Amino acid sequence: MGDGRQKKDMEAAGVLELYELHYSDLLLLSSTSPLPEEGEERVERIKKTIMETLGPTGPGLLSITGVPKASILRQRLLPLARKLALLDHDRRKHILKEHNLGSDVPLKNPDRNVSSFAMQLKYAQALESAVVKTNNGPRCNSNLEPAHMDDNNNEVTDSPENEFENLADTFRELGYCMMELGLRVAQICDMAIGGQELERSLLESGTAKGRLIHYHSVLDNLLVKASGRRKGSTKKQAYCEKNQVLLSRSEQKQSKCCNLITNGNEVGSSGNKGNLWQQWHYDYGIFTVLTAPMFLMSSQLTENTATDQFPVSCDQDCACPTGHSYLQIFDANKNDAFMVKTSSESFIIQVGESADILSRGKLSSTLHCVRRPPYFENLSRETFAVFLQPAWSKTFSFSDYNVHHGMSGHHSSNEGNGHTELDFNEAAQDIHKIVPPLSSRLKDGMTFAEFSRETTKQYYGGSGLQSNS
């Protein structure tokens, strides 16, 4: 199918405003302490809504609001993603090593659209500073306390000279906070399902993976390519002059678009590679916990002869003109794509395929992509994600689980009312072609390590469905 027809379908994408769970309710619902009798009905109602939202009839993701110090940590960490991405390679390598960070993308590739900086986060360290309550029950959540951060320091004060000084500490602090959110959601789901499979699987893994992610703007890509070249001053000057013109034209164009884009249905774009920062896929862990994204708009191009780079100064936090996160999901129950909308102070909890499997389909994994905002070429996207997954040795069983599901409707063979591929609109069929079905990647008795390797292979391997994406 051509890009034009797909563009027509995707531009009609609706908007999904996520169900919001307040942090105080998260603490209440995940507690093992007896509830006041007058509050039981409300708590049960919230639990039911959570399971419906994360289950096979819901979108598979929700947001958590009211988390202490979420705003300050987000504003400290997220802008560093872009700064790291545009650094000279040698300096960046030194900083990453100093802060015990790595990357799972080839940072030497000048054509990359995404830069990612990763660290393993240990549950033991996330929990050790929490106050252990006395008289706690047998559940692991007795080790969890609400996020404890110093509320006296609520301003970002990093100067350019030491802007990376607290990188690792901020990375860990925000990561541990997000791990707590994921653990508490797992506890709530376990209570509804029965047993402690999800929580135990997370804690047995020992670690979660944090990723600080920068989605490049068009100008960022130009800067990355330029920083990798050693040019004479004349060529460098010509390059700056050329891109000053490009930047000026782009900003004029974007200024006009700011006044035009007011309808939420105009957020879509065709699903071809150039209009996506990240292709359609399922996360294969248990939960992915995400900050609301931050958008940075390029505002000035200057030459830095000391570092042989062409850095761009940006607004620290530029509200996306359309008000959307540009995380887009495909809802198989509605046979449609939806752009996710959430508040800037919230965290998103997204269900992965391992949770789908371990819950025997009580939770539903989320098919999603990340889109580039149309018209805004100098807008970059920053986010922080923590991937909560089982231990690599965790074994998956098909007992009471229908592995033949996915975009064609969750558990359609049991309920008899799922979509077939012929029911899909044309854009959905194109998505289906590049997402390998779970049944082809998961075999009974596989470990999580084997499942993750097979999943990566079928998406991105030499003959993978997205090997050229």
Side-chain angles (χ1 to χ4, degrees), residues 365-384:
S365 50
T366 310
L367 178 61
H368 61 284
C369 70
V370 181
R371 292 199 163 274
R372 286 181 178 272
Y375 314 116
F376 295 90
E377 294 179 347
N378 292 339
L379 198 68
S380 66
R381 184 180 188 270
E382 326 301 321
T383 192
F384 183 58

Side-chain angles (χ1 to χ4, degrees), residues 224-286:
V224 168
K225 290 176 182 178
S227 67
R229 301 178 187 137
R230 295 187 177 276
K231 295 186 174 183
S233 58
T234 302
K235 291 184 178 180
K236 235 187 320 189
Q237 182 178 355
Y239 178 88
C240 284
E241 291 173 352
K242 176 182 177 182
N243 283 286
Q244 285 280 16
V245 174
L246 291 174
L247 179 58
S248 177
R249 290 175 180 173
S250 182
E251 286 179 336
Q252 290 173 12
K253 178 181 177 183
Q254 292 173 90
S255 178
K256 293 177 182 178
C257 289
C258 282
N259 298 322
L260 292 173
I261 303 179
T262 56
N263 189 321
N265 289 332
E266 295 184 56
V267 298
S269 60
S270 65
N272 64 324
K273 173 180 161 185
N275 289 306
L276 292 178
W277 267 316
Q278 191 170 31
Q279 265 290 5
W280 289 95
H281 66 286
Y282 291 97
D283 291 347
Y284 54 80
I286 293 180

